[in-house]
Each structure stands twice: as C-alpha cells, then as structure tokens.
Amino acid sequence: MNDDLSPILKKVESVDAIILGSPIYMGTATGEMRSFMERLVFPYVVYDGNYSSLFKRKIPTGFIYTMNATKSQMEERGYAQSFELAEMMLVRAFGKVESLCVTDTYQFDDYSKYVASAFDPEKKAATRKEVFPQDCEKAYNMGMRFAKGNLTDYGKQIKLCRTFVCAFKFSVLLLSPRVGMAHDVYCLAKQCLIKF
C-alpha cells in the first residue's frame, strides 16, 4: 500500500524510539490508533516458531494513554487487558515497551456546554492542576530514559535520539489539538521530547 501514511512509516526504520499516545474511548485506544498500529507493526511480524521481527534493531517504545476514568475505574473496567494486547505487539516488533496511564483527565474545556452531570468540574479542574504536571513529569522522564538509552558517545560526537511520536485524535494525526483528552496526549508526548 502506498498512501499518505507510507512516508511516515518509512521514517520508523531510522528512529531510536517510538512514543505513541491515544485517548481511551470505550475502554481502548482510538480506532485510528489501532489501525495505525496495524500498519506500523505488521510489516515486521514474522510467523515463525519464535514470532521474530524483521525490524533490524531493538528500540524502546512508549505508549501514553489518557482517559476520563479514574485509576480505580480503569482497574475495575479491565482496561489493562486491552493495553497489554497493544503493548505485546509493540514488544514483538520492536523489543520493549513502557506505558504511562494518565487517569481522570479533562474531557472538556467547559463542562457546562455538555450533558456531563456525572462529573464535578471543580474536582476535574483541581485534579488537572495538581496531578497533570506530575503526569507531564512522568512523560518527560520516559523520554529521557529513551534518550539516555540511545545516546552514544564517540569522543566528542553525541548521536541524539531520533524519536517518532504519534498521537491520534479522532481521524487526524495529532499536531496541536486544543481540547480534552487528545490535547493531554499531545502535551504528554511533547514532554517526552522536551530536551531533544
């Protein structure tokens, strides 16, 4: 298949790390992210006895999940099972994976514009103010771990980590969303690259 996504997938061959991000809708990553992951992973999957990979190197992969659910709701609803399936495919293709679950995120900028009486907007705002900066720090630390694992010192030459970051909001490759959980994915993924 040769389409607009082909050049992006070609770039994956030269990166030192991959960081993916998705809001969680109905207990799993968006349909767009799942479709993207099929295109990303399947070219490298081999159905031999070892389920080996055609990807030429082992690189770290990260997945950032943002969700309206609280941590306890995420656990009660069994979200981890769908996350583990996606992460298993990343491990199979690229070697290792690390994930970050960001819970109780803002779903709307202004809750009064939506039928969302199940949520306390003031509590959501307080959680965002207090917890989201910690989540950004965790995303930053993920990016730093990936970079440190890929820094090579050849005397005075340092090879910087080339990281592929992809996050989806609805059906659009996320560049700069403005609202809700998709915006949180963007902010967190950006934190991973802040020093690069």
Side-chain angles (χ1 to χ4, degrees):
M1 176 181 284
N2 192 12
D3 59 12
D4 290 345
L5 192 54
S6 298
I8 294 169
L9 294 170
K10 183 75 176 155
K11 288 180 183 181
V12 169
E13 295 172 8
S14 65
V15 301
D16 297 314
I18 297 172
I19 299 170
L20 302 171
S22 178
I24 299 305
Y25 298 144
M26 297 191 294
T28 190
T30 63
E32 289 81 3
M33 178 55 77
R34 291 190 313 274
S35 294
F36 174 76
M37 284 187 63
E38 287 179 13
R39 294 277 306 274
L40 174 68
V41 171
F42 279 131
Y44 302 111
V45 173
V46 176
Y47 293 98
D48 60 8
N50 297 322
Y51 293 100
S52 51
S53 174
L54 296 174
F55 196 74
K56 295 178 179 153
R57 301 169 287 119
K58 299 289 184 196
I59 62 171
T61 56
F63 210 124
I64 300 170
Y65 307 98
T66 63
M67 64 202 81
N68 190 41
T70 64
K71 184 176 180 185
S72 63
Q73 289 170 329
M74 177 188 77
E75 292 166 356
E76 290 166 9
R77 296 172 184 166
Y79 288 7
Q81 186 175 7
S82 74
F83 301 165
E84 288 168 6
L85 290 171
E87 292 166 11
M88 179 182 67
M89 294 309 295
L90 291 172
V91 167
R92 187 171 166 192
F94 304 111
K96 64 180 183 176
V97 69
E98 182 176 325
S99 63
L100 172 61
C101 292
V102 179
T103 58
D104 204 14
T105 60
Y106 252 8
Q107 192 167 7
F108 314 111
D109 282 343
D110 184 353
Y111 279 79
S112 69
K113 293 181 180 179
Y114 303 91
V115 178
S117 58
F119 306 109
D120 178 349
E122 290 176 11
K123 185 177 179 212
K124 284 283 192 185
T127 299
R128 176 149 183 101
K129 183 178 179 182
E130 295 166 18
V131 179
F132 193 68
Q134 297 168 18
D135 292 327
C136 288
E137 183 69 20
K138 290 174 187 173
Y140 171 82
N141 290 336
M142 177 192 289
M144 289 304 294
R145 281 189 298 280
F146 288 6
K148 286 178 182 174
N150 285 300
L151 289 176
T152 308
D153 188 352
Y154 298 110
K156 299 210 177 238
Q157 293 186 359
I158 300 288
K159 176 184 153 196
L160 287 178
C161 178
R162 299 172 307 260
T163 303
F164 178 75
V165 176
C166 182
F168 284 92
K169 175 187 178 189
F170 309 112
S171 61
V172 179
L173 183 63
L174 181 63
L175 298 174
S176 182
R178 293 178 177 77
V179 298
M181 293 184 296
H183 176 69
D184 291 349
V185 168
Y186 173 77
C187 291
L188 290 158
K190 197 166 102 178
Q191 286 298 316
C192 293
L193 300 176
I194 209 101
K195 288 274 185 174
F196 307 136

